Amino acid sequence: MEWQPTPFTAPLLVAAVASFGFAGYALKNRLRGGKPLVASFIGVTVGAGVWALAYAAQLSATTLAETLFWNRFVWIGIGVLAVAWPAFVLAYVDWRAWLRPRRFVVLCVVPIAVVVAVLAVGADPLFYRSSSLSAPNGYLVLTFLPTPALIGFMAYTYTVNLLTFLVLGSVALDRDGVFRRQAALLLVAGVAPMTAGIVGVWGVFGTTFVDYTPITFVMTSGVLGWVVFRYRLFDLSPVARDVVFANLSDGVVVVGSDRRIVDVNGPARALFPSATIGSGVDDAFEGAPAVVDAVDDGSGSARKTEMGTDIRVTIDCGTESRILTVTPHEIAGNAAGPSAVGGTVLLFRDVTAQETLQRRYRALIEKSPNVIAVCGTDGLLRYASPSVERLLGHTPSEVEGRPAIDFVHPDDREESQRVLERAFETRDPQTVAHRLIHANGNWRRFETTVERLFEDTDEVVITATDVTESRRYEQRLQVLNRVLRHDLKNDANVIGGYAGLLRDHVDDDGAEYLDIIDRKVQTLTHLSDQAREIDVALHNDGGRATIDLSELLSRLCTSLESAFPHANVSVSVPETAVVRADELLESAVRNVLENAVVHNDGDAPVVEASVAAAAGGYRIAVEDDGPGIPSVERTVFSEARETPLEHASGLGLWLVHWIVSQSGGDLTIETREPRGTSVSMWLPAADGADRDPATER
């Protein structure tokens, strides 16, 4: 076979060697840029290499048969490149949806069909008509007339290439730093061959029928090498940083092996304004020397920080300090092999809010007046708050790791164990009253709540409240209350009995004093009954009942007239007035009615009782013509503190106030002119229970 020299043989061979060299390098070093990106890059370099090498052979052939033979391999290179180049651009911008098999096959249909057809029948007559060899440039070249198929395929490839150029151009405009330079150089590597091919067809270069597309691969090979080695095409994050870099809420800084910043995203720049592309790490992180140490550790100096291990740093951001965690990751450099260190990626996470919240929770737990503990399914205490030492005399270290049930009184352990087990089975908090052992050997009474810490954990949180003193105080009050009421009523009855016996032994003057004794005995007996009702009111469970105020007030007024026939009692009620109130409401209304008569100094007390509709409920009004209730007793409940009772009605007012409040209503006491008192009780209607009276009126 005879070969002819041409001016383009050497450049084409150089382009082929460079392209195959890049492909071999990528295969040997297993570049880490992601499989689609690396595979498509290898496809681009192999396609370019085959095209350049085959075209060099085609130009060197001296017969038409040999020229057409090598031309078939040219079309193989063209077909590979027609698939690999758009795939490479799609992988670079991370449009992975187009790289899935169903869509990727669209890119392959036309090039594969062309290659198969050329191998089967040849480019002549598929793409060429009247093909021959001529020497317009001083050496033999293939001349031909293009067929419609060739024009159609060229239109297809130009359209696809133009779309890839638009993608790369938009990336170069939208990005900055290393990624802008990457995209710009890749755009040059794609535009140059197509431009050279089009210009060559027009004869601008003075030679005709020579395809300058593969000849430009000499230049594009150099551009690709610059992108791969200088701008770390496969080491640094590809252009899809909109998703994985630029839009990260955490800060990211990429530092090269020369200790200069290669790239930085917005959150990192906000934390470190001096961290700009090209700046040194010493200047960028002047206020955070621990970050500089992490970079130096990744650059081969004596290691102080493990890669991938969080470092906690505090930086000054003007008016406030920020707490950050910094995680360094190494980048392996390709020039010296995969294991060589080529830089460091620093991930910054602002944990100021999280740290502040944790400190608050820690302070709340440590300063809590209750014992707070965490227990696992094995029954062992995994955490105990510092308050355990103050309340039970045990240090947290003495408690943690021990079974929780060990601290419970033997008589209370069975119920406590059941509560603990139920807490693991349900989301609802479980409560138990039990005794816990103090370090001094005494038993303390606690009310404890046990509930799941989180739904997906095998731990429960235990909150134990020491009620020893409150229970003891309550018990003493109950005993004192019962004894006082019992003795008071018994002694009053005894006094009344002896006073009755004396009536047959005293004259008319003495009878007046016996009447006073009878009235005081009645007052003491009434006071004892009120104390009993208050005790019931304070210890009931706050149950609500549906009550008809019309029926209730009418019945109580009839009873009042029977008990005090000298009183003038009138009542005005609607047909029905149904409310939702405390079950003890009857005691409150009776107390108000009796106070209106008992504490009236007139010979014929006047009492006017009524029920009327009010916004969202009904109002009971009881008015009298008595001396009035002292202001100090009218305001005891509104001032939320106890004051000395100057009148026996004061105890009754407390009872009325508590019952009405527990009913969701309110109590109003006003002085009438020229004398008398008006007591008003508003209660919510049965269909409006639990409304806020302050918002109803």
Side-chain angles (χ1 to χ4, degrees):
M1 179 180 296
E2 185 178 352
W3 299 95
Q4 66 174 346
T6 70
F8 308 109
T9 303
L12 287 170
L13 292 177
V14 171
V17 171
S19 297
F20 288 133
F22 280 129
Y25 176 83
L27 289 171
K28 179 181 179 181
N29 292 278
R30 298 180 181 180
L31 300 179
R32 299 175 305 284
K35 289 183 178 180
L37 185 66
V38 173
S40 58
F41 175 79
I42 293 174
V44 169
T45 54
V46 169
V50 171
W51 189 350
L53 184 61
Y55 195 60
Q58 176 183 324
L59 288 179
S60 300
T62 56
T63 66
L64 181 61
E66 294 172 354
T67 300
L68 293 176
F69 172 79
W70 292 112
N71 181 254
R72 295 192 178 196
F73 294 97
V74 168
W75 281 102
I76 293 176
I78 293 174
V80 172
L81 203 57
V83 174
W85 173 254
F88 173 74
V89 174
L90 292 173
Y92 180 72
V93 297
D94 205 31
W95 290 4
R96 300 194 178 187
W98 282 95
L99 299 177
R100 294 172 183 170
R102 290 186 178 181
R103 291 191 178 184
F104 184 69
V105 72
V106 176
L107 296 175
C108 301
V109 170
V110 173
I112 290 178
V114 167
V115 171
V116 171
V118 168
L119 292 178
V121 300
D124 182 10
L126 183 61
F127 291 138
Y128 310 145
R129 285 187 306 168
S130 305
S131 58
S132 62
L133 290 180
S134 61
N137 307 310
Y139 47 86
L140 297 173
V141 294
L142 179 65
T143 60
F144 58 88
L145 296 176
T147 66
L150 177 60
I151 296 173
F153 180 69
M154 292 177 63
Y156 166 80
T157 56
Y158 287 168
T159 301
V160 172
N161 288 340
L162 286 174
L163 292 176
T164 62
F165 300 158
L166 289 175
V167 172
L168 289 174
S170 64
V171 168
L173 292 175
D174 292 342
R175 305 301 186 270
D176 55 11
V178 65
F179 298 104
R180 168 173 289 182
R181 291 187 282 274
Q182 280 183 355
L185 289 173
L186 290 177
L187 178 61
V188 170
V191 170
M194 191 177 82
T195 303
I198 295 174
V199 172
V201 171
W202 290 346
V204 174
F205 297 120
T207 55
T208 57
F209 290 99
V210 174
D211 186 1
Y212 285 89
T213 302
I215 300 173
T216 58
F217 291 163
V218 176
M219 181 271 293
T220 57
S221 297
V223 173
L224 287 177
W226 189 257
V227 175
V228 170
F229 295 112
R230 178 63 180 85
Y231 293 118
R232 306 294 180 92
L233 176 64
F234 299 106
D235 290 335
L236 300 181
S237 189
V239 164
R241 65 198 293 264
D242 273 345
V243 177
V244 299
F245 187 80
N247 288 338
L248 284 175
S249 59
D250 297 335
V252 181
V253 176
V254 182
V255 182
S257 57
D258 57 356
R259 300 179 77 250
R260 292 192 173 276
I261 293 178
V262 176
D263 204 1
V264 56
N265 69 346
R269 193 178 296 111
L271 295 171
F272 301 96
S274 56
T276 58
I277 295 176
S279 62
V281 293
D282 295 314
D283 296 331
F285 306 113
E286 183 179 2
V291 179
V292 179
D293 292 340
V295 174
D296 290 339
D297 288 345
S299 301
S301 62
R303 184 172 298 281
K304 303 174 185 176
T305 306
E306 286 293 328
M307 290 292 106
T309 302
D310 287 348
I311 309 165
R312 189 173 293 265
V313 298
T314 302
I315 62 174
D316 186 9
C317 294
T319 59
E320 60 180 352
S321 296
R322 311 298 296 176
I323 303 173
L324 310 175
T325 59
V326 187
T327 308
H329 295 278
E330 292 179 354
I331 300 175
N334 292 323
S339 62
V341 175
T344 306
V345 175
L346 300 173
L347 303 180
F348 295 89
R349 175 166 296 176
D350 190 339
V351 295
T352 306
Q354 177 184 350
E355 185 71 16
T356 302
L357 189 61
Q358 288 180 350
R359 290 178 180 177
R360 288 175 181 170
Y361 279 127
R362 192 180 303 117
L364 286 174
I365 293 175
E366 292 178 352
K367 298 180 183 300
S368 172
N370 305 321
V371 174
I372 300 176
V374 176
C375 181
T377 52
D378 54 6
L380 301 181
L381 293 171
R382 301 179 180 177
Y383 170 80
S385 62
S387 56
V388 70
E389 185 171 6
R390 174 173 50 82
L391 295 176
L392 291 174
H394 304 284
T395 62
S397 59
E398 294 172 345
V399 172
E400 292 168 358
R402 293 181 58 183
I405 207 70
D406 283 358
F407 299 93
V408 181
H409 192 282
D411 295 342
D412 302 332
R413 287 182 179 176
E414 184 176 352
E415 176 63 19
S416 299
Q417 183 65 33
R418 283 199 296 266
V419 167
L420 186 63
E421 292 173 356
R422 283 199 300 269
F424 283 105
E425 299 170 356
T426 179
R427 298 179 181 178
D428 300 328
Q430 306 295 314
T431 59
V432 62
H434 53 191
R435 289 160 288 179
L436 300 179
I437 188 67
H438 193 279
N440 60 15
N442 295 331
W443 294 98
R444 307 283 297 180
R445 290 189 175 275
F446 281 79
E447 290 182 354
T448 300
T449 301
V450 186
E451 57 184 322
R452 289 284 290 271
L453 185 59
F454 300 108
E455 292 185 8
D456 56 348
T457 62
D458 57 352
E459 296 177 333
V460 292
V461 59
I462 301 173
T463 305
T465 304
D466 190 345
V467 296
T468 306
E469 299 303 328
S470 61
R471 287 288 181 86
R472 186 178 298 159
Y473 183 67
E474 182 180 358
Q475 185 180 42
R476 289 173 180 174
L477 284 180
Q478 289 177 350
V479 172
L480 180 63
N481 179 39
R482 292 186 182 125
V483 171
L484 179 61
R485 285 192 292 105
H486 180 271
D487 291 350
L488 178 64
K489 194 166 187 177
N490 284 349
D491 289 348
N493 289 334
V494 170
I495 293 173
Y498 278 107
L501 294 176
L502 285 175
R503 287 192 178 277
D504 297 333
H505 301 282
V506 298
D507 53 20
D508 294 339
D509 294 336
E512 180 182 352
Y513 298 111
L514 290 178
D515 291 340
I516 296 174
I517 293 175
D518 285 340
R519 287 198 299 272
K520 293 301 181 182
V521 167
Q522 291 176 4
T523 300
L524 291 175
T525 302
H526 181 64
L527 188 63
S528 175
D529 291 339
Q530 282 187 332
R532 178 183 57 80
E533 291 179 340
I534 289 176
D535 184 51
V536 173
L538 291 177
H539 292 89
N540 76 58
D541 57 1
R544 299 282 182 91
T546 301
I547 302 172
D548 186 350
L549 295 183
S550 297
E551 185 277 331
L552 174 65
L553 189 62
S554 299
R555 176 166 50 82
L556 292 179
C557 285
T558 300
S559 177
L560 184 68
E561 288 179 316
S562 300
F564 303 95
H566 63 289
N568 297 317
V569 181
S570 63
V571 59
S572 174
V573 297
E575 184 176 349
T576 59
V578 181
V579 297
R580 186 78 174 166
D582 191 279
E583 297 172 345
L584 299 176
L585 179 63
E586 182 174 334
S587 296
V589 178
R590 182 190 299 112
N591 193 282
V592 172
L593 291 171
E594 291 180 354
N595 276 348
V597 176
V598 171
H599 301 294
N600 196 314
D601 54 1
D603 294 333
V606 176
V607 179
E608 298 176 354
S610 64
V611 175
Y618 294 92
R619 185 180 299 280
I620 301 177
V622 177
E623 299 177 340
D624 63 57
D625 61 347
I629 300 175
S631 60
V632 66
E633 295 187 12
R634 294 200 308 268
T635 58
V636 290
F637 47 85
S638 62
E639 294 178 359
R641 61 183 179 89
E642 295 183 19
T643 59
L645 299 180
E646 299 180 359
H647 198 280
S649 64
L651 189 60
L653 290 180
W654 275 111
L655 174 64
V656 175
H657 169 63
W658 286 326
I659 293 176
V660 173
S661 297
Q662 289 179 176
S663 301
D666 67 348
L667 174 67
T668 304
I669 301 176
E670 297 177 345
T671 300
R672 302 177 66 198
E673 295 296 339
R675 63 181 270 132
T677 304
S678 174
V679 179
S680 174
M681 293 173 283
W682 179 89
L683 298 162
D687 59 348
D690 301 326
R691 293 180 181 173
D692 185 357
T695 62
E696 293 286 352
R697 289 173 300 284

